[in-house]
Amino acid sequence: MISDHPRPLDGIRVLDLTVALAGPYGSLMLGGMGAEVIRVEAPGGGDIARTNPPFVGSEGIHFGERKDDDVSLTILNRARNKKSITLDLKSEQGRELFMRLAEMSDVLLENLSEGTTVKLGVDYEKVRRRNPRIVYASVKAMGEPSAFPGLKGMDIIIQALSGLMEVTGDADGPPTRCGLPIADLVAPMYAVNGILAALIHRGRTGEGQRVQVSMLDCMTSWLAEEHFDVMAREGYPCRTGNYHDRLAPFGVYPTQDGYVAIVAFQPDWMRGLLEAIGQPAFLDDPRFSSRGPRMRNAAALNRSIAEWTSQHVTADVVRELFADRGVPCAPVRKPLEVLDDPRLHASGALMNLSHPRFGPIDAVGMGLPIQFSATPSQFDQPARALGEANQEIYGGLLNLGPQELGALREAGVV
């Protein structure tokens, strides 16, 4: 249900030329905060994500062949709060319509493959000539020009090139992919930050500009937070699995019915943990009495903690450490537990999805995890069918008459 409350980005129009996830997630956030997002897709097919299983239709959610009334669950999640139009940018008429929309927009967000906007004639320089005030944001896999020409920037490729995989996993195991497409999700968040900053600058000066974000740059900047270069020189492995030895004890430990995460590097937390596991003498042991030596001897300390946690059920470990002693400790929850947490639904971090024809469905989608005191915002408009907003945008915003729009449709331009 669309809220009547004003939103932070009311009055901002975004021309959305994004595909897949790194890009659509950015326009999703902008739409949730109130921007009018006009999503441009190719006639006849649209974003490849529209073919992602599972599908939702009259027969419910399934992983079979897509039927005529089926919609990808991916689209129901990522295309909310957006108006879908179709437009063939390879045609001269299509490019002119796009430029007319760009003249009336505040932001253009794109994440097309390197060089594509130039080939299509909708690159920053050409758009800026038509609208000097526009904020033109680009999310690229490895920058533009790319340091790896021709290489497709899928999330796993970025995780590999950024070093993220090499620092994830056990020291004696292989590099490990993060379980979520983290590069695809992080880069658009940086892009949104850049867009909002550029809009503030435009508000002061009237000047638009280009905002560029590289998925590889984003993930590499995160890598530098942990000083792996210094630790490698000291002989520490890059991968430490479920433990963070610099902050030992800090890790994930087995219980009789699951796992718990424990953090106890502060002196009072350390004392509480060691008393709980029956090893108070460790407080005076030179191996563990201060953080420097403790890092060198983290494996021995972790073994002692795991021996104790593995003798108890998760709830008892959490109660003993956190409730009774104030040591940060939490159960490792399974995804289904988290997706069913009413508190996360109440906060807006999670929300149930809805099919535009069949209503609510049994699937959880991303919420907007930002709470505003004066301008409540959320993804409350269901995903639109491909080209569903053609009449609204071309007929209403661009004032094209029925005959003109019909001719464009007949020619395959829209």
Side-chain angles (χ1 to χ4, degrees):
M1 184 174 184
I2 302 174
S3 171
D4 292 330
H5 291 285
R7 300 194 179 195
L9 296 182
D10 277 352
I12 297 296
R13 179 175 292 131
V14 178
L15 198 52
D16 179 4
L17 198 56
T18 66
V19 295
L21 177 54
Y25 184 47
S27 56
L28 177 67
M29 286 189 284
L30 294 171
M33 290 187 284
E36 178 191 16
V37 178
I38 301 174
R39 189 168 192 218
V40 180
E41 299 184 72
D47 187 350
I48 191 173
R50 290 187 177 273
T51 64
N52 285 354
F55 305 108
V56 187
S58 57
E59 299 179 8
I61 301 174
H62 66 90
F63 287 85
E65 291 292 325
R66 185 174 62 158
K67 301 177 178 60
D68 290 342
D69 66 351
D70 282 344
V71 179
S72 168
L73 191 62
T74 299
I75 288 297
L76 293 182
N77 198 10
R78 300 177 190 171
R80 289 168 291 168
N81 290 61
K82 303 177 185 181
K83 299 174 179 179
S84 173
I85 64 170
T86 51
L87 186 61
D88 179 12
L89 292 176
K90 296 178 181 178
S91 70
E92 185 176 343
Q93 287 177 297
R95 283 191 295 274
E96 178 56 28
L97 288 172
F98 183 86
M99 287 298 186
R100 288 179 59 186
L101 290 172
E103 289 174 343
M104 306 171 74
S105 298
D106 302 283
V107 176
L108 190 155
L109 177 61
E110 63 91 12
N111 72 321
L112 303 179
S113 298
E114 181 181 5
T116 300
T117 57
V118 174
K119 292 177 184 177
L120 293 174
V122 295
D123 55 281
Y124 173 58
E125 292 303 324
K126 289 187 174 63
V127 171
R128 185 181 65 165
R129 293 191 199 111
R130 300 285 290 261
N131 182 1
R133 288 174 51 83
I134 200 162
V135 172
Y136 189 112
S138 298
V139 178
K140 300 300 179 185
M142 290 157 279
E144 196 169 28
S146 171
F148 302 89
L151 180 60
K152 290 294 183 182
M154 309 304 289
D155 182 88
I156 194 170
I157 300 296
I158 303 302
Q159 289 196 38
L161 288 174
S162 69
L164 177 64
M165 289 173 61
E166 183 60 30
V167 302
T168 306
D170 294 324
D172 57 354
T176 303
R177 169 188 170 270
C178 177
L180 288 170
I182 188 169
D184 276 329
L185 293 167
V186 167
M189 288 195 288
Y190 276 102
V192 168
N193 281 338
I195 288 168
L196 297 180
L199 287 173
I200 292 172
H201 172 79
R202 191 187 71 173
R204 290 197 302 260
T205 67
E207 177 187 34
Q209 62 182 300
R210 188 175 188 189
V211 175
Q212 294 177 278
V213 169
S214 156
M215 294 165 63
L216 181 58
D217 286 355
C218 292
M219 298 316 303
T220 303
S221 71
W222 277 22
L223 187 78
E225 189 277 335
E226 198 47 48
H227 305 297
F228 288 105
D229 51 347
V230 175
M231 288 190 286
R233 288 198 295 267
E234 294 297 317
Y236 291 104
C238 286
R239 294 194 298 279
T240 56
N242 282 330
Y243 304 102
H244 189 6
D245 292 349
R246 184 170 59 79
L247 298 176
F250 184 116
V252 176
Y253 304 87
T255 67
Q256 287 186 346
D257 59 348
Y259 295 87
V260 291
I262 300 173
V263 177
F265 61 88
Q266 296 280 31
D268 53 339
W269 299 344
M270 180 72 167
R271 180 179 299 277
L273 173 61
L274 294 180
E275 289 176 350
I277 70 174
Q279 297 287 359
F282 281 4
L283 290 168
D284 300 317
D285 188 320
R287 295 176 301 166
F288 311 125
S289 58
S290 63
R291 287 182 57 186
R294 197 184 304 158
M295 184 175 178
R296 288 287 186 191
N297 296 281
L301 180 57
N302 286 328
R303 280 195 298 271
S304 294
I305 298 169
E307 287 174 4
W308 177 77
T309 59
S310 62
Q311 298 173 31
H312 304 277
V313 297
T314 298
D316 288 346
V317 173
V318 173
R319 181 168 52 251
E320 174 75 18
L321 293 181
F322 176 62
D324 295 348
R325 301 177 184 274
V327 179
C329 176
V332 176
R333 295 201 290 178
K334 292 179 169 56
L336 292 182
E337 295 178 78
V338 178
L339 295 176
D340 199 38
D341 188 333
R343 292 167 296 185
L344 295 173
H345 284 264
S347 73
L350 300 171
M351 58 189 304
N352 282 87
L353 295 175
S354 178
H355 189 287
R357 283 184 55 197
F358 306 113
I361 60 175
D362 186 19
V364 177
M366 300 177 288
L368 182 65
I370 309 172
Q371 297 183 27
F372 299 91
S373 62
T375 53
S377 303
Q378 193 47 269
F379 308 135
D380 53 2
Q381 301 173 37
R384 304 263 192 115
L386 179 65
E388 185 177 337
N390 280 357
Q391 179 59 47
E392 175 186 355
I393 300 303
Y394 295 128
L397 189 60
L398 296 187
N399 294 314
L400 300 185
Q403 286 187 325
E404 189 175 2
L405 186 54
L408 290 169
R409 190 179 296 112
E410 183 69 21
V413 176
V414 301

